[in-house]
Amino acid sequence: YTNGTGTPTYTWYSNDTNDTVGAIQVGTNTNTYQPLTDVVGTTYYYVEISFPGAGGCGEIMSDIVAVEVIEGISITSPVVDQTICEGGVSQELSVTHSDGAGTVTYQWYINTTNSNIGGTSTGVTGSNFTPDPTTFDTIGTYYYYVTISDDASGCSDVKSDVYTVEVVADPTVSISPIGPLSYCQDVIANILTATANDGIGTDYTYQWYSNTTNSNTGGAEILGATLADYTPSTSTVGTTYYYVVVTQSDSGCETVSTTVEVTINLGPSITQQPVGDSICLNGMTPA
């Protein structure tokens, strides 16, 4: 305050409404008052300053101010663990929260252990975070967490639970028979059978390819050949190389088999027919 005469006294009041009616005295004889923050809600405060009677200055009253006490930050989103294959891409990690006050900030961390203590900052400061995909070129388990902070008085930092991204080996696939295989034209060839293992779970998708060279890249997709078994065509003479691509729904889960060589030959034919002859009894035909 300014002006007035003498040494005044201070009386602080609080109320649960924005009014002086019904207010209760909460502090005296000091120009400062520390509000309590042990109950969630809004409380209204003001102070009366009383001057000694001889000066005739009477009393003055401050404006009413509101102090809102809220719950600290509470993380509301569940942590979803992920499993991907090597070279895959993680889903976006996301955090949501309630309560807190002031300006809210985020900091994501990566850790070598399943803990939300002692991680290394990733530099990402938003509520959403997509890990660097090059991280997942190596098989292993990667741990992430986020710290949420706000700048309101008394609000402590809150750490999320640990997000886990497990990176496993790609599926494997083998083909039997392994070849090289050789057939006459238009016969029924042996069935090529792909056997997939590893990866994530036991659900696999197959796509067979044919190639004119001994390579498992650059081949032509065989329409409709989407089962583990495939019977090569024998209608055309020549050598064809077959391979299969196996995928799973999880990110990065794909593998390519080696090739199987299948050669189709012309069927046998007689190039010189026998010739009839007339001979005497007990004679011999010429060769």
Side-chain angles (χ1 to χ4, degrees):
Y1 75 94
T2 60
N3 303 323
T5 61
T7 302
T9 58
Y10 301 84
T11 305
W12 289 90
Y13 294 88
S14 71
N15 205 348
D16 56 5
T17 62
N18 188 11
D19 202 339
T20 60
V21 177
I24 60 173
Q25 180 179 323
V26 292
T28 59
N29 298 328
T30 177
N31 65 339
T32 61
Y33 174 71
Q34 181 67 57
L36 298 176
T37 59
D38 56 346
V39 177
V40 172
T42 300
T43 305
Y44 302 89
Y45 297 92
Y46 65 93
V47 62
E48 285 187 353
I49 304 176
S50 301
F51 294 86
C57 294
E59 298 177 346
I60 57 175
M61 188 178 73
S62 72
D63 292 338
I64 299 174
V65 296
V67 176
E68 182 183 13
V69 178
I70 62 177
E71 296 282 0
I73 293 173
S74 176
I75 293 177
T76 58
S77 56
V79 170
V80 178
D81 294 332
Q82 302 178 49
T83 303
I84 62 177
C85 289
E86 55 186 314
V89 177
S90 165
Q91 297 176 16
E92 183 179 61
L93 309 182
S94 180
V95 67
T96 58
H97 68 88
S98 60
D99 304 318
T103 301
V104 177
T105 57
Y106 308 85
Q107 180 63 66
W108 288 89
Y109 295 84
I110 184 172
N111 211 350
T112 56
T113 60
N114 188 6
S115 173
N116 61 4
I117 298 174
T120 301
S121 172
T122 65
V124 176
T125 57
S127 59
N128 299 321
F129 168 55
T130 300
D132 181 358
T134 61
T135 302
F136 305 131
D137 290 340
T138 303
I139 295 171
T141 303
Y142 301 84
Y143 305 98
Y144 299 90
Y145 66 92
V146 60
T147 297
I148 305 177
S149 308
D150 60 15
D151 59 3
S153 176
C155 295
S156 301
D157 293 350
V158 176
K159 295 181 178 182
S160 72
D161 292 335
V162 177
Y163 298 73
T164 300
V165 180
E166 182 181 6
V167 180
V168 302
D170 286 329
T172 60
V173 62
S174 60
I175 298 178
S176 63
I178 60 175
L181 305 175
S182 182
Y183 303 98
C184 285
Q185 188 177 20
D186 295 328
V187 303
I188 298 175
N190 292 331
I191 297 173
L192 301 180
T193 299
T195 302
N197 290 289
D198 302 324
I200 301 172
T202 57
D203 291 331
Y204 303 98
T205 299
Y206 303 86
Q207 178 60 62
W208 288 87
Y209 291 81
S210 65
N211 209 347
T212 56
T213 61
N214 189 10
S215 173
N216 61 0
T217 61
E221 180 179 302
I222 303 173
L223 296 179
T226 57
L227 300 177
D229 294 336
Y230 174 69
T231 303
S233 170
T234 60
S235 62
T236 302
V237 172
T239 299
T240 304
Y241 301 89
Y242 296 93
Y243 62 93
V244 65
V245 175
V246 174
T247 58
Q248 294 181 294
S249 59
D250 300 278
S251 179
C253 296
E254 180 176 298
T255 190
V256 184
S257 73
T258 57
T259 59
V260 175
E261 178 184 310
V262 177
T263 300
I264 308 302
N265 302 294
L266 288 171
S269 63
I270 296 176
T271 59
Q272 183 175 343
Q273 296 290 345
V275 177
D277 196 5
S278 296
I279 58 174
C280 293
L281 182 65
N282 294 323
M284 296 183 64
T285 62

